[in-house]
Amino acid sequence: MLDIVSKYRNLLANIGEYIEDSKFKKEYLIERLGISRATFYNKVKKKSFTTDEMVVLSPILFPEEAKAFEIKEALRACREDSKAGKTRSHKDVMADVGSKLRS
């Protein structure tokens, strides 16, 4: 658990650099966060983004990690569904796909 806290602290400590290195313009980040320009720059300076704001920023600043996380979560959910017996036959899935493609 302490490693998670340490990594989060490190993330916040370096957030300004991550933003500068990002391929996205700051205006885009400000828009996505839904905060004013002044508030954004204050938060960067003070390293005071909230957890919810970091949830918005992280996939933008670290898209590869976000995609990997998304895939891992999808696989975890699939495993849980499989264990719970929530499965469908290949034939049923292909029939659904075929009907969607014809629509």
Side-chain angles (χ1 to χ4, degrees):
M1 184 61 83
L2 290 177
D3 61 325
I4 295 170
V5 174
S6 178
K7 287 178 183 177
Y8 186 71
R9 183 184 300 159
N10 186 48
L11 175 64
L12 277 178
N14 296 300
I15 193 67
E17 293 171 37
Y18 296 134
I19 289 170
E20 286 299 321
D21 293 344
S22 170
K23 64 181 179 179
F24 294 98
K25 293 185 177 186
K26 291 176 186 133
E27 289 302 320
Y28 174 73
L29 301 176
I30 292 166
E31 179 184 311
R32 290 297 307 264
L33 288 168
I35 59 178
S36 72
R37 189 172 169 78
T39 300
F40 175 80
Y41 284 102
N42 254 343
K43 287 180 175 277
V44 171
K45 181 179 177 182
K46 295 178 181 178
K47 302 171 188 335
S48 63
F49 288 100
T50 66
T51 306
D52 289 338
E53 290 166 336
M54 291 305 295
V55 168
V56 172
L57 283 176
S58 293
I60 297 168
L61 298 176
F62 310 103
E64 295 85 12
E65 289 91 338
K67 189 49 117 176
F69 179 78
E70 185 180 311
I71 291 168
K72 286 178 189 175
E73 286 300 303
L75 287 171
R76 184 194 53 74
C78 288
R79 285 187 192 106
E80 287 179 9
D81 285 349
S82 181
K83 285 180 185 176
K86 298 178 185 177
T87 60
R88 297 178 57 204
S89 72
H90 177 70
K91 183 179 177 180
D92 291 342
V93 171
M94 293 309 291
D96 285 349
V97 169
S99 68
K100 288 180 183 177
L101 290 175
R102 287 186 288 276
S103 311

